Amino acid sequence: MSTDRRSAELTTLLGIDTPILLGPFGGLSSVELTATVSDLGGLGGYGLYGYDAARIEQTAAELRAGTERPFAFNLWLPHVEQGEADVTDAEFAAAVDALRPIFDELGLELPTRPDRYLPTFEEQYEATLAASPAAISFVFGVPSPEAVEAAHAREIAVVGTATTVAEAVALRDVGVDAIVATGMEAAGHRVSFLRPAEESLIGTFALIPQVVDAVDVPVIAAGGIADRRGVRAALALGASGVQVGTAFLATNQSAATEAHRRAIRETPADRTVLTRSMSGRLARGAANRAVRTIEAAGAVAPFPVQNWLTGRFRAEASRRGIGDLQSLWLGQAAPLVRSADAADVFAELAAGLAASA
């Protein structure tokens, strides 16, 4: 199938003009950026990590007020990695103690255990279906056949996310409409689910053609794509479109702090790290003081406990503009980011589509 036909299949599926998708940032999404990408003809994506039903309903209303074009919501599937389980009081105390220097520096009280760390997936999914976005994308697993059917009954496209060929096949078999194949260069969490993330580190441009060969649904390339050259390469390898995170995260329309945007502009590719320190799950970002402090302490609670704990100080650090104590997620293509305006980033990526055609 030609590049044009592959891209047309994806754009028709999602109801968009241009096969450029905004990476959905869990905890860092903004209505402005999502609406901007959708208005430009792509698919704005919004990450719903940690959102309860009321907040999902409110976000959908804000997006519809901001754009008349299609947008996507992203959900984390319930998934337990090896070694993840309910922590004991002693383990919780040890994880808190490892973070004590940071809480003390910010003048914050040490956290105590909450009643729950996250809303249930069922609560989130019911609200997401009611919001009726153009697409629902999933990370960290395979949605159930019932979940896929419920979305299709509302004419909502279903997009899965794979870090290996085996994961892509598992997603295809349950009936998803498209698959994001995300390489290890990408920012943020490694969303592997069949094998440990450390054993699923495949580069984008090795992964894409293998996934394209293995499945018969549109494949969306993600990871290491920040300009027209990356788009051309992805399409040449059989992708139907691209999903871009870091380049959009660096723009003024994103919810990233200025310290985070500065880290994207200034961090060389070989200075990004894969770490579990900030959330308990493997994720790519800048190796700042928070990462070094937690790794040196050697006491990282499993997800979602660690993510909740660091969230207690990350919010305050963000408010004060202290980048050294935030989660500075960014991918290895960060040095390629050239613009602080989402429209300019989109135009640069779209130039790669024109060149491919």
Side-chain angles (χ1 to χ4, degrees):
M1 184 185 298
S2 69
T3 298
D4 284 350
R5 288 182 60 191
R6 284 195 301 267
S7 295
E9 183 181 2
L10 180 64
T11 55
T12 299
L13 169 70
L14 300 175
I16 59 178
D17 301 327
T18 308
I20 296 173
L21 284 66
L22 169 65
F25 315 119
L28 285 171
S29 287
S30 78
V31 169
E32 182 182 5
L33 180 56
T34 302
T36 296
V37 172
S38 290
D39 280 344
L40 289 167
L43 186 71
Y46 196 103
L48 299 177
Y49 174 82
Y51 281 31
D52 61 16
R55 195 172 179 189
I56 292 172
E57 181 181 4
Q58 177 185 351
T59 301
E62 291 174 357
L63 279 167
R64 289 207 161 85
T67 181
E68 297 180 352
R69 302 302 303 270
F71 61 85
F73 276 157
N74 174 262
L75 291 170
W76 291 34
L77 287 160
H79 172 65
V80 178
E81 287 194 327
Q82 185 177 356
E84 288 183 359
D86 291 336
V87 303
T88 65
D89 287 341
E91 290 167 336
F92 185 88
V96 171
D97 194 56
L99 300 173
R100 184 184 298 272
I102 298 176
F103 282 102
D104 288 347
E105 176 181 338
L106 295 173
L108 300 174
E109 293 185 3
L110 296 179
T112 57
R113 298 189 76 160
D115 292 332
R116 69 175 186 173
Y117 296 102
L118 291 168
T120 66
F121 174 76
E122 289 73 22
E123 173 188 353
Q124 288 190 305
Y125 197 49
E126 182 177 340
T128 301
L129 289 173
S132 195
I136 301 174
S137 64
F138 295 97
V139 292
F140 280 113
V142 178
S144 69
E146 293 77 17
V148 174
E149 290 169 7
H152 285 166
R154 292 166 175 79
E155 298 185 341
I156 300 171
V158 178
V159 181
T161 309
T163 66
T164 67
V165 172
E167 290 176 352
V169 170
L171 289 162
R172 177 207 61 191
D173 289 347
V174 81
V176 304
D177 300 297
I179 296 170
V180 175
T182 176
M184 67 175 183
E185 301 94 331
H189 287 90
R190 304 306 306 138
V191 294
S192 307
F193 56 88
L194 289 183
R195 298 175 65 188
E198 289 86 349
E199 299 175 12
S200 307
L201 299 176
I202 304 172
T204 300
F205 296 104
L207 180 64
I208 297 306
Q210 295 181 58
V211 172
V212 169
D213 289 348
V215 302
D216 54 0
V217 298
V219 174
I220 301 156
I225 300 169
D227 62 16
R228 65 185 70 190
R229 294 171 295 178
V231 174
R232 280 202 303 269
L235 268 60
L237 293 172
S240 299
V242 298
Q243 178 173 287
V244 176
T246 301
F248 282 119
L249 193 61
T251 65
N252 296 328
Q253 292 86 355
S254 88
T257 64
E258 178 51 37
H260 195 161
R261 295 189 189 105
R262 186 167 57 251
I264 293 173
R265 294 193 298 268
E266 297 177 356
T267 304
D270 60 353
R271 298 299 294 171
T272 68
V273 295
L274 287 166
T275 180
R276 292 180 178 270
S277 61
M278 300 302 286
S279 73
R281 285 187 177 167
L282 200 67
R284 185 177 296 283
N288 59 3
R289 182 157 54 87
V291 170
R292 293 191 294 271
T293 298
I294 297 168
E295 290 185 345
V300 177
F303 177 88
V305 179
Q306 184 74 6
N307 200 50
W308 184 87
L309 284 172
T310 64
R312 302 315 95 192
F313 69 75
R314 285 187 280 115
E316 180 64 16
S318 295
R319 188 183 71 80
R320 299 189 197 180
I322 306 174
D324 246 358
L325 300 179
Q326 298 173 35
S327 293
L328 302 177
W329 304 137
L330 52 93
Q332 289 182 326
L336 300 175
V337 176
R338 298 285 185 266
S339 177
D341 184 77
D344 291 341
V345 172
F346 194 92
E348 168 63 23
L349 297 169
L353 297 170
S356 296

